[in-house]
Amino acid sequence: MPGGVSSPVRAFKSVGGQPIVFERVKGPYAWDVDGNRFIDYVGSWGPAICGHSHPEVVAALQEALEKGTSFGAPCELENQLAEMVIEAVPSVEMVRFVNSGTEACMAVLRLMRAFTGRDKVIKFEGCYHGHADMFLVKAGSGVATLGLPDSPGVPRSATSNTLTAPYNDLEAVKELFAENPDAISGVILEPVVGNAGFITPEPGFLEGLRELTKENGALLVFDEVMTGFRISYGGAQARFGVTPDLTTLGKVIGGGLPVGAYGGKAEIMQMVAPAGSMYQAGTLSGNPLAMTAGIKTLELLKQEGTYEKLEATTNRLINGIIEAAKESGIHITGSSIGAMFGFYLCEGPVRNFEEAKSTDSDRFGKLHRAMLEKGIYLAPSAFEAGFTSLAHSEDDIDETLNAFRISFSEI
Ligand code: HOZ
């Protein structure tokens, strides 16, 4: 396997050393093949919001397994999950299930173009929307971590319609619209960036994009693959009160099984085949096992107090990390929302990818290794968000903060 991994960010290229080979995961923990236990803040890159292998998710899957692994035909479960997503996510009136976030973003871009009859799209530097050709422009974590400018093999023609602007910069977006009249199908963004570290939208940014897209006859698309059901039950759009036209989802809605989805206003989604003429398909889409894990996960998340607990855990963690760094005379800038957090080893503020790059990556590599030695598994990149879960206990946070305290003093 290239680099020994099935996806580049799993390798330890930017932090040094070799990727850890895991044997099993449970709750907030992951065990490697040598039997070492780690408190896990990667959470399979987002899906494990209830903790790994939640007993109720596992039981539901065991039952579903008996009924078959794939139908390749409509099933009741996809209707059930669709209803739950529609009820929760403000922009979603209709939804199509796919198998990954990358697939969802590829499809949503085709839909943006089909609906508006325009080819160009605006994305933000440092935002990652999967690895499809047209999105591999200033694409954040994976590419930044490997030091690749973009990717060879992506033809110039594939990205010639992809315009980029710095995140949190409304003026730059205004200029792009002015320079490309009636040519831009829409603006796509991670409403809270999780693929360039963790960057939050400044007050007015999301609202400004909503207005600008409307004024210019373009669509606003939130890529909530990471933030969906994690920043709040209704995602970042519910949390910030800004409703896009279309939304992509993944990770949490599959409860740890491969899934993605895109959805939005009915008048736009009606264009998707077979209701409409925009073609998009998938053999395993709406897979009964993925739907089962997704339904059970959303049921667990819907219970009272869930997001308050996630928010409190994550807040305590990030404040503790900042405090621990201070004790060793290291200034870091960090924040959290819902069950997502991140920090940069720099003075800050960090409002966009350019500012994120002033983080001390070498020092992060040292920190990463020091934490691993103490049984804490952080994402192996200075440009990834961290994820907490309902399974992370007060004791786990205490143990983690203690490890941070010692590790900061070591680096
Ligand atoms: N968006 C995640 C990392 N930036 C996905 C994990 C992966 O690419 O393997």
Side-chain angles (χ1 to χ4, degrees):
M1 297 183 293
V5 291
S6 295
S7 190
V9 287
R10 297 176 197 180
F12 278 26
K13 264 199 140 153
S14 73
V15 291
Q18 297 296 321
I20 295 183
V21 180
F22 287 114
E23 195 220 1
R24 70 192 164 98
V25 288
K26 185 82 191 158
Y29 308 122
W31 285 265
D32 70 11
V33 287
D34 299 318
N36 298 305
R37 191 209 75 170
F38 298 89
I39 302 177
D40 178 20
Y41 291 99
V42 180
S44 190
W45 302 95
I49 192 162
C50 297
H52 291 291
S53 316
H54 190 285
E56 288 186 42
V57 176
V58 173
L61 278 171
Q62 277 163 343
E63 205 181 299
L65 201 50
E66 292 297 325
K67 295 181 182 164
T69 56
S70 176
F71 303 156
C75 69
E76 214 182 307
L77 295 162
E78 57 189 347
N79 283 275
Q80 224 176 305
L81 187 58
E83 271 173 20
M84 293 177 94
V85 169
I86 289 166
E87 191 188 84
V89 186
S91 66
V92 179
E93 295 169 2
M94 291 181 86
V95 64
R96 163 63 58 87
F97 291 110
V98 292
N99 299 290
S100 69
T102 289
E103 224 187 297
C105 291
M106 278 168 72
V108 96
L109 179 58
R110 186 176 302 151
L111 183 55
M112 289 162 76
R113 291 172 170 163
F115 185 77
T116 59
R118 301 170 176 182
D119 286 345
K120 292 190 193 295
V121 64
I122 298 177
K123 80 175 279 292
F124 292 93
E125 294 162 12
C127 281
Y128 179 68
H129 306 293
H131 62 80
D133 282 358
M134 54 281 184
F135 284 131
L136 278 187
V137 183
K138 302 188 178 172
S141 58
V143 190
T145 298
L146 297 178
L148 303 173
D150 291 306
S151 175
V154 176
R156 199 171 289 174
S157 58
T159 55
S160 60
N161 285 315
T162 310
L163 311 170
T164 58
Y167 189 77
N168 271 325
D169 189 342
L170 276 179
E171 278 311 306
V173 178
K174 248 183 229 168
E175 275 166 34
L176 287 174
F177 272 117
E179 286 160 12
N180 299 273
D182 302 325
I184 297 172
S185 63
V187 175
I188 185 167
L189 76 155
E190 294 177 76
V192 175
V193 187
N195 284 289
F198 184 72
I199 308 174
T200 55
E202 300 217 290
F205 179 58
L206 299 177
E207 292 82 353
L209 290 177
R210 183 59 287 182
E211 274 168 36
L212 273 177
T213 44
K214 257 192 197 146
E215 276 166 30
N216 288 280
L219 300 173
L220 179 63
V221 184
F222 280 5
D223 177 349
E224 297 231 42
V225 169
M226 268 191 182
T227 52
F229 295 90
R230 183 164 275 283
I231 288 289
S232 79
Y233 190 71
Q237 53 198 270
R239 174 102 186 198
F240 291 101
V242 176
T243 306
D245 300 295
L246 292 166
T247 298
T248 56
L249 294 162
K251 305 204 192 262
V252 169
I253 60 157
L257 273 85
V259 98
Y262 63 102
K265 286 190 180 142
E267 60 161 325
I268 309 174
M269 289 302 290
Q270 286 286 5
M271 268 209 94
V272 180
S277 54
M278 190 219 84
Y279 196 71
Q280 180 274 312
T283 299
L284 289 170
S285 299
N287 174 270
L289 295 181
M291 298 296 104
T292 298
I295 292 164
K296 189 42 84 182
T297 300
L298 297 200
E299 278 173 6
L300 290 166
L301 288 174
K302 245 187 142 172
Q303 290 170 8
E304 225 185 292
T306 307
Y307 286 89
E308 287 79 356
K309 181 176 188 295
L310 286 167
E311 186 104 25
T313 303
T314 320
N315 253 327
R316 187 171 163 236
L317 176 67
I318 191 65
N319 290 335
I321 295 172
I322 294 168
E323 202 49 46
K326 221 185 264 169
E327 281 170 26
S328 289
I330 299 173
H331 189 89
I332 67 171
T333 176
S335 56
S336 72
I337 310 182
M340 255 174 116
F341 69 95
F343 61 89
Y344 299 94
L345 295 163
C346 64
E347 290 283 329
V350 173
R351 291 161 299 202
N352 54 44
F353 191 38
E354 222 26 64
E355 290 175 353
K357 283 195 269 185
S358 61
T359 192
D360 187 339
S361 298
D362 289 343
R363 206 172 202 187
F364 180 82
K366 286 183 193 138
L367 177 68
H368 189 267
R369 272 193 297 286
M371 292 295 283
L372 268 185
E373 280 161 19
K374 294 163 196 66
I376 312 294
Y377 188 64
L378 302 172
S381 164
F383 299 105
E384 292 286 354
F387 299 108
T388 50
S389 78
L390 287 169
H392 286 89
S393 67
E394 292 282 316
D395 286 350
D396 293 321
I397 302 297
D398 284 343
E399 189 179 328
T400 305
L401 292 179
N402 201 34
F404 266 111
R405 245 172 250 122
I406 304 169
S407 298
F408 277 126
S409 73
E410 290 169 354
I411 65 161

